[in-house]
Amino acid sequence: MLWRQVCCKFRRGSVPAKVTANTTNLIIRPRMLKYINYQLDPDDAVQAQLEQAISSQINQRYTSNTRAFTQYIPSVVSMIEQHAIQQFSIFCTCKGELNIVDFATGRVWYSDSPFDEVADEVQSFCQQAPFIDLNSTAPAEKTIWQTEPLPASVDAVLMFGLGLGYQLNELLQNVRVKYLVVYEPSLDALVCTMQANDWQQLFETAAALGTQIFLQLGNDGSSVPEDLVELLQAEQIKRVYLYRHRFHPVMDKVIHFLHTSSGQPQQLFAASQHFLPYENFYDYVSERSNNVLGNQTPILEEKVNTLLDKNMAALQKFYPAVFKAIEKHSNQHWHLATDSNGNANLYHPERNALFYNDLEADSAQLLEYFSSHPFKDDVILGQKTGRKLSSFLHFQYVEKLQPIIRTIYTETRQLPDTINSLIIFGIGLGKHIELLTRQRHIDNLYICEPNLDFFKASLEVTDWAALFEQADQNSTRIYLNLGGDGTEYFYDLMAQFYKVGAYSIADTYMLSTYYNEQMQKAISELRSQLKVVLAIGEYYDHAKFGIAHTYASLKNKHKFMRADTTEAANLLKELPVFIIGNGPSLDQNFEHIKQYRDQVLLISCGTALKALYQQGIRPDFHAEVEQNRATYDWVTQIDDADYLRQIRLISVNGMHPDTAALFKETLLAFKDGESSTYVFNGGLKKQGYELASLSYAYPTVTNLVVNYMLKLGARLLYLFGVDLGFVDVRYHHSQHSAYFKPTGEEIYNYQQAHGGAMPAQGNFRPVVFTKAEFDVSRKLMEQALNKVSNKLEVYNCSDGVKIKGATTLHADNILLPDVQLDKERLLFQVIEQAYFSDLSQYADLIYQKFDQSLFDSSLTEWLAILDTPVQTKTDALALIKQQWAFLRSRATVEGDLTFCLLYGSSNYISGIMTKLASSMNEDDEKALANFHEIGGILKSYLSDVKADYFAAPLASDKATVNYLFGS
């Protein structure tokens, strides 16, 4: 413990000087969403001026506080010197005050005037302070916390949460406290308060009042029972006051324990007490939610509610499945309550937390801010390519569109009166939804709320029945996605988007109405996945080459996996499989791989092949997933044709024929969602062949291999170098691979090419770093593992990201029986039973069913549609819908490749057109001119597609990365 008595004299008025800017007076800053961007001045120059004005005060305060702690609690100084900031930091608000931000989430603790907020909080605490009794009394029914006006002099206050520390000075200004114990689990908060609060003043004040201050730093309150025992040894204390300054998953459990144990010394002082955090999604409360002190007494009483009956009847009529679920649901965590201001609110009894400050005001404020700062995800800005694919027709036209795209995003727009699509994350009590639908016409409203407690409570507050009836009368759509954990948002929403055209994602606004850690993670994942739909969908060149390469694979008698692999599974289910990725940790595991080489099935993934070759290791299988010819360039960095000829290649349809020709034989499976899969797998089914199609074979080759082996029936997998991240961005792959020169120098600047990194949970260490593609890879790998119902053992021996479903295992701890394995005979049997050996007779039969004249006529008709005059916003939106309807109609025309070849490219360009048209004013000549320019670019694109395709429909891709290797 850090018991230390401090003494000083109190000085008034020593708080950070406030710098105000008139420009912020009219800005609405929603209290429900406490993000840093809401508290910064919109004028960067003004914000910079505020920060400059306060920076000298921060430095002076920090220096002064360091001297004060050196005098009174020197051990704190060493703690600060040894501590590296991990989560919380200070920043300057638009009002020139300091606040705390969680830089991982952008969330802030206080309002933009923290000092006033804390002063009001202390006054509230003095008026009604929660307390517990330490001596034996007849325990009362403690459904709410016991509170009373704070006496002028008290024995002890336990404070939970340090924050900026202002409340300490303010409290001692109002009351004499003999023992003040402060619990703060995060040392980041200590660094923040060192820069903000006047500790010299605090120490002097405490000395003058005879106050002993005990800082329990890095302590989440779990030591409270033994601390109380130690406190009682110093003095006979009967009553202790509890000051909660922040909600915290463990400290709230401690506080709940203290209140429920009040007056029961045996229970209060039990040293064996263990406090588990609140981890359930339903129990989440942000750091500074309403009723942080816990001294309000909300009213929980059931009333006859005609609105509830009306809403339930409407649910039964329009959403019968939702009706059944809500009828059975009983709120367990959050309840509808009336707060001390007489307003409806959501109340969490155990954590004594309220959701709203003021339901009506918070809802109106949220919408006012959203209306002037509407969020549209930039889902169409992410489609870029480097030198490798610069020859692709699609990316040449992406480059032509970039100047127009940049123009679209330089303009600030208000939320329009008519909204095509809006996704609202979070219902709460639903008042913001009721208000928004009164103010705006919304064609497609998607509402996501994982917390059923919230939705059920909202049925007594918000007139959902009127919303549903209005949507029915106006022929608009309200889609409810309730419950779950958010992982299904993408699939559910995409099923809805495809009904109106996936391009409409580009005209979709998003409103997150409250913060919840797990929901925010689900939203972030949804945004990443939506970007994939338009930004990296299957564009024309990919579809064309996929069809051409699959045709070549059939002609070259590559073997395709059967849908039924039961017999092969019986052979592989007991065989250990080593999957070798090219992550940096591979360099620590070569000796382990050599040790077990002959006892396992060894599979190299992508660029890991050269690293194995350098170490004298030959895999049984090599895997590639990309269809462009760059795979040939990477593989041939191994200048040993005999080595490659002893290895079998596994991949998905679309593998480049030049790469396939390097290996002993090629084993393929179809990949879900590819145009080439639709063309050839569909055609083979008509011939009576049932072939496997993999769902999780992307975005990295390790995803392919895991999915591939699970389909073949392997049930014992070991992952090496499947880092999906790195500890050091300069060491991003195995240094024995083609990513590095023999000198250890990168062949290109990886960080510059792929961007920075984001933190992720590590497999062997708390934190490693990853990038967006790797994070998607991890999620899809976890889904693939989760889908396998049979007995499955997966061991992650990689020093990279944590993969759920895979057990962490250091390679030193691998235990495999030393058995003699006739691997070649086993593989021959597996391939014989799991693959069709020769489907070459069907290549031409299937491909020739697609009539090139149909494609030609469809492109001609499409070009004619684009000649439709567009003079207004209405005309522009109508043209986009007409184009989508036409493309959808081509999907049902047998023998027409139009939809297969151009669906992805059309979605991308239609998304840009939609984004522009939706923000167009009726007299916006510039926007109209931009729209016409995009239409012209699309016409040129389609004309070039026609010429390109008919010139060489079955030509193979010629992309190269030889420039990386100096050739």
Side-chain angles (χ1 to χ4, degrees):
M1 295 184 65
L2 205 65
W3 299 100
R4 176 74 167 110
Q5 182 175 354
V6 295
C7 306
C8 78
K9 180 181 178 184
F10 178 71
R11 284 198 310 270
R12 295 178 179 272
S14 55
V15 299
K18 299 181 184 179
V19 182
T20 58
N22 294 331
T23 57
T24 64
N25 290 344
L26 299 178
I27 296 175
I28 302 299
R29 305 181 188 281
R31 290 175 293 182
M32 286 175 65
L33 292 174
K34 292 166 68 174
Y35 287 100
I36 188 171
N37 55 301
Y38 299 150
Q39 294 195 7
L40 301 178
D41 197 287
D43 187 323
D44 290 343
V46 173
Q47 181 65 30
Q49 186 179 18
L50 292 168
E51 292 169 0
Q52 186 177 9
I54 206 169
S55 63
S56 61
Q57 297 178 44
I58 294 172
N59 294 332
Q60 292 170 11
R61 182 59 45 82
Y62 188 86
T63 301
S64 172
N65 285 335
T66 301
R67 286 197 300 265
F69 274 105
T70 301
Q71 178 183 354
Y72 293 103
I73 317 179
S75 57
V76 168
V77 178
S78 61
M79 292 175 72
I80 293 173
E81 291 174 345
Q82 296 169 18
H83 178 69
I85 292 290
Q86 297 177 352
Q87 184 178 10
F88 301 117
S89 178
I90 63 166
F91 73 99
C92 179
T93 74
C94 59
K95 294 187 177 178
E97 290 197 40
L98 297 178
N99 200 344
I100 295 177
V101 61
D102 181 338
F103 50 77
T105 65
R107 294 270 300 167
V108 302
W109 280 33
Y110 303 94
S111 67
D112 52 14
S113 298
F115 192 80
D116 290 341
E117 179 183 330
V118 170
D120 291 341
E121 177 181 284
V122 172
Q123 289 303 311
S124 177
F125 180 73
C126 292
Q127 292 166 7
Q128 207 66 26
F131 67 88
I132 60 168
D133 286 313
L134 302 186
N135 58 331
S136 296
T137 61
E141 190 68 30
K142 300 179 186 66
T143 55
I144 57 175
W145 294 3
Q146 300 174 93
T147 63
E148 68 179 13
L150 192 68
S153 179
V154 300
D155 287 327
V157 173
L158 303 187
M159 182 175 290
F160 296 88
L162 180 58
L164 289 172
Y166 295 159
Q167 73 280 7
L168 295 167
N169 304 56
E170 189 72 16
L171 181 64
L172 294 190
Q173 184 180 2
N174 285 271
V175 65
R176 183 184 294 270
V177 181
K178 186 173 290 186
Y179 301 103
L180 177 56
V181 186
V182 184
Y183 296 93
E184 177 49 63
S186 172
L187 291 182
D188 285 357
L190 174 63
V191 177
C192 292
T193 188
M194 284 280 289
Q195 297 171 89
N197 192 43
D198 190 339
W199 282 85
Q200 181 68 43
Q201 167 200 294
L202 178 64
F203 290 152
E204 293 173 0
T205 304
L209 298 174
T211 299
Q212 296 187 54
I213 298 178
F214 309 111
L215 296 181
Q216 302 288 69
L217 301 172
N219 188 327
D220 60 15
S222 296
S223 64
V224 156
E226 57 194 84
D227 293 347
L228 288 175
V229 170
E230 189 171 343
L231 193 61
L232 283 174
Q233 289 174 352
E235 186 154 347
Q236 290 301 311
I237 299 173
K238 296 181 179 180
R239 180 160 292 186
V240 172
Y241 295 88
L242 307 183
Y243 188 128
R244 179 172 63 184
H245 186 64
R246 64 175 284 201
F247 289 95
H248 183 272
V250 176
M251 290 197 296
D252 283 6
K253 270 289 176 72
V254 172
I255 296 170
H256 178 70
F257 159 77
L258 291 173
H259 281 290
T260 55
S261 304
S262 177
Q264 303 174 69
Q266 280 189 317
Q267 190 168 321
L268 277 172
F269 307 141
S272 60
Q273 187 66 38
H274 184 58
F275 301 100
L276 296 175
Y278 287 99
E279 293 181 322
N280 191 299
F281 167 84
Y282 281 83
D283 289 323
Y284 179 82
V285 179
S286 60
E287 288 88 357
R288 297 273 303 164
S289 193
N290 193 17
N291 200 31
V292 66
L293 290 173
N295 58 1
Q296 292 189 46
T297 54
I299 301 171
L300 287 169
E301 58 182 26
E302 295 185 7
K303 301 177 182 178
V304 177
N305 195 310
T306 56
L307 182 58
L308 174 62
D309 296 337
K310 177 184 173 184
N311 284 334
M312 289 297 287
L315 282 178
Q316 190 170 25
K317 176 182 176 182
F318 294 107
Y319 305 90
V322 174
F323 168 78
K324 290 179 182 178
I326 294 301
E327 191 178 36
K328 294 176 183 176
H329 181 75
S330 176
N331 286 29
Q332 298 295 319
H333 304 262
W334 292 87
H335 302 266
L336 182 66
T338 302
D339 61 28
S340 58
N341 295 318
N343 299 321
N345 212 324
L346 287 162
Y347 178 57
H348 192 296
E350 190 167 320
R351 298 192 73 174
N352 207 350
L354 286 166
F355 188 79
Y356 294 96
N357 289 301
D358 182 303
L359 172 61
E360 298 290 345
D362 289 353
S363 302
Q365 196 179 56
L366 175 72
L367 291 188
E368 192 166 352
Y369 186 90
F370 179 62
S371 297
S372 57
H373 301 82
F375 177 77
K376 257 190 188 179
D377 212 346
D378 297 339
V379 294
I380 61 174
L381 291 182
Q383 195 169 80
K384 300 175 183 177
T385 189
R387 184 173 169 182
K388 179 172 73 173
L389 303 181
S390 59
S391 63
F392 280 22
L393 190 63
H394 178 78
F395 288 110
Q396 290 174 13
Y397 275 93
V398 166
E399 193 63 30
K400 292 180 181 181
L401 288 164
Q402 291 306 304
I404 304 174
I405 292 174
R406 285 192 287 269
T407 300
I408 295 172
Y409 289 101
T410 55
E411 301 175 15
T412 303
R413 298 287 184 180
Q414 296 281 317
L415 187 69
D417 292 333
T418 299
I419 301 169
N420 178 33
S421 298
L422 170 64
I423 306 175
I424 296 180
F425 301 101
I427 288 175
L429 286 177
K431 274 298 175 183
H432 56 287
I433 299 175
E434 192 173 59
L435 287 171
L436 185 58
T437 53
R438 288 178 193 162
Q439 298 170 6
R440 301 291 196 278
H441 175 86
I442 306 170
D443 289 324
N444 301 286
L445 178 59
Y446 309 95
I447 302 174
C448 304
E449 175 55 81
N451 193 333
L452 290 182
D453 283 359
F454 286 2
F455 181 68
K456 185 158 189 176
S458 78
L459 295 172
E460 300 187 52
V461 176
T462 294
D463 193 347
W464 288 101
L467 297 182
F468 300 152
E469 292 289 353
Q470 182 184 17
D472 187 50
Q473 293 169 11
N474 295 341
S475 297
T476 58
R477 301 169 67 244
I478 298 178
Y479 169 68
L480 297 177
N481 188 317
L482 306 174
D485 60 2
T487 54
E488 73 291 343
Y489 284 165
F490 174 72
Y491 303 102
D492 291 350
L493 288 170
M494 281 313 305
Q496 302 300 316
F497 275 124
Y498 279 124
K499 294 178 182 178
V500 296
Y503 65 85
S504 64
I505 295 170
D507 188 27
T508 298
Y509 291 90
M510 297 185 186
L511 171 59
S512 180
T513 60
Y514 66 84
Y515 180 84
N516 179 291
E517 192 170 14
Q518 284 183 252
M519 186 172 77
Q520 211 63 28
K521 183 179 178 183
I523 294 170
S524 178
E525 291 179 1
L526 173 66
R527 289 174 57 194
S528 297
Q529 290 163 327
L530 288 180
K531 286 183 180 182
V532 171
V533 176
L534 293 186
I536 56 173
E538 191 184 30
Y539 45 84
Y540 162 70
D541 306 80
H542 188 277
K544 174 195 169 185
F545 289 131
I547 291 171
H549 295 175
T550 305
Y551 172 86
S553 286
L554 289 169
K555 293 289 281 187
N556 292 331
K557 300 182 181 180
H558 295 161
K559 297 177 180 179
F560 281 79
M561 190 187 294
R562 300 171 183 266
D564 184 359
T565 57
T566 306
E567 293 184 15
N570 291 330
L571 295 170
L572 287 177
K573 64 183 179 182
E574 302 295 337
L575 179 65
V577 178
F578 279 16
I579 297 174
I580 314 299
N582 194 27
S585 72
L586 176 60
D587 291 345
Q588 282 74 56
N589 286 311
F590 289 121
E591 291 307 314
H592 297 100
I593 294 169
K594 289 177 182 178
Q595 179 183 351
Y596 296 108
R597 167 70 187 86
D598 296 329
Q599 298 165 243
V600 302
L601 192 63
L602 190 63
I603 307 174
S604 64
C605 299
T607 54
L609 183 60
K610 185 180 180 184
L612 293 178
Y613 176 75
Q614 296 265 13
Q615 297 296 315
I617 302 170
R618 177 174 53 80
D620 301 301
F621 291 114
H622 175 64
E624 294 286 352
V625 72
E626 288 192 70
Q627 71 175 26
N628 60 72
R629 197 177 184 274
T631 55
Y632 178 89
D633 296 338
W634 285 103
V635 172
T636 53
Q637 291 305 299
I638 300 171
D639 188 15
D640 188 340
D642 290 338
Y643 173 83
L644 298 175
R645 277 290 177 189
Q646 298 178 68
I647 304 169
R648 294 177 171 90
L649 176 69
I650 60 176
S651 189
V652 286
N653 63 297
M655 171 50 51
H656 200 285
D658 290 356
T659 305
L662 297 169
F663 294 90
K664 180 176 182 177
E665 67 178 330
T666 300
L667 309 171
L668 302 175
F670 281 104
K671 178 184 174 186
D672 284 357
E674 302 275 296
S675 293
S676 51
T677 297
Y678 170 79
V679 169
F680 288 102
N681 197 12
L684 287 167
K685 281 185 178 179
K686 291 178 181 178
Q687 300 299 322
Y689 291 91
E690 294 293 329
L691 288 94
S693 187
L694 306 181
S695 301
Y696 302 102
Y698 67 98
T700 71
V701 65
T702 53
N703 292 94
L704 160 67
V705 174
V706 169
N707 201 202
Y708 200 102
M709 296 314 298
L710 293 178
K711 178 61 181 173
L712 280 178
R715 291 296 179 265
L716 183 56
L717 309 181
Y718 292 81
L719 309 180
F720 294 89
V722 186
D723 296 1
L724 301 178
F726 31 78
V727 177
D728 182 348
V729 72
R730 295 167 298 180
Y731 186 11
H732 41 79
H733 289 83
S734 166
Q735 291 191 330
H736 297 277
S737 71
Y739 275 96
F740 292 89
K741 299 176 183 178
T743 60
E745 181 186 356
E746 296 175 289
I747 61 169
Y748 68 94
N749 189 317
Y750 186 86
Q751 184 173 11
Q752 183 177 336
H754 301 287
M758 52 190 183
Q761 183 182 1
N763 189 41
F764 292 150
R765 59 185 80 216
V767 177
V768 295
F769 297 95
T770 188
K771 60 177 186 171
E773 182 190 10
F774 286 161
D775 200 43
V776 171
S777 172
R778 172 190 61 79
K779 293 166 189 169
L780 290 173
M781 195 175 295
E782 290 174 349
Q783 288 185 37
L785 297 178
N786 188 50
K787 288 286 184 181
V788 178
S789 56
N790 297 347
K791 184 179 179 182
L792 179 66
E793 294 180 53
V794 182
Y795 297 99
N796 189 356
C797 306
S798 314
D799 187 7
V801 301
K802 177 76 174 174
I803 300 171
K804 292 178 183 176
T807 302
T808 297
L809 181 70
H810 285 278
D812 290 338
N813 297 324
I814 295 174
L815 294 174
L816 293 179
D818 186 6
V819 296
Q820 295 298 315
L821 182 66
D822 188 348
K823 202 182 302 182
E824 189 59 33
R825 180 173 177 274
L826 174 65
L827 293 180
F828 178 82
Q829 290 178 312
V830 168
I831 294 168
E832 187 76 15
Q833 294 172 2
Y835 292 85
F836 291 106
S837 60
D838 182 2
L839 299 171
S840 59
Q841 62 180 309
Y842 300 108
D844 288 308
L845 181 66
I846 293 169
Y847 181 72
Q848 289 171 4
K849 287 184 179 295
F850 290 89
D851 188 343
Q852 293 192 13
S853 64
L854 280 175
F855 183 40
D856 187 20
S857 61
S858 291
L859 288 176
T860 301
E861 188 175 346
W862 191 345
L863 287 165
I865 291 172
L866 292 173
D867 284 332
T868 304
V870 173
Q871 300 297 330
T872 65
K873 175 178 180 176
T874 302
D875 293 343
L877 293 172
L879 174 63
I880 297 166
K881 286 184 179 179
Q882 183 183 2
Q883 181 176 242
W884 166 244
F886 167 76
L887 188 59
R888 280 192 70 179
S889 71
R890 296 301 91 188
T892 60
V893 177
E894 189 172 355
D896 189 350
L897 277 173
T898 307
F899 187 86
C900 288
L901 289 172
L902 288 164
Y903 168 73
S905 293
S906 172
N907 261 331
Y908 175 73
I909 298 179
S910 294
I912 297 172
M913 297 173 81
T914 301
K915 206 164 189 79
L916 178 60
S918 64
S919 59
M920 189 187 297
N921 297 323
E922 294 302 332
D923 57 350
D924 194 339
E925 294 183 5
K926 181 182 177 183
L928 188 61
N930 282 337
F931 187 87
H932 286 147
E933 187 176 353
I934 295 173
I937 290 173
L938 178 55
K939 289 173 67 176
S940 178
Y941 187 177
L942 295 179
S943 297
D944 282 352
V945 162
K946 181 185 288 192
D948 177 79
Y949 186 78
F950 292 125
L954 292 175
S956 296
D957 160 59
K958 293 181 173 57
T960 181
V961 290
N962 271 333
Y963 54 85
L964 293 175
F965 311 111
S967 56

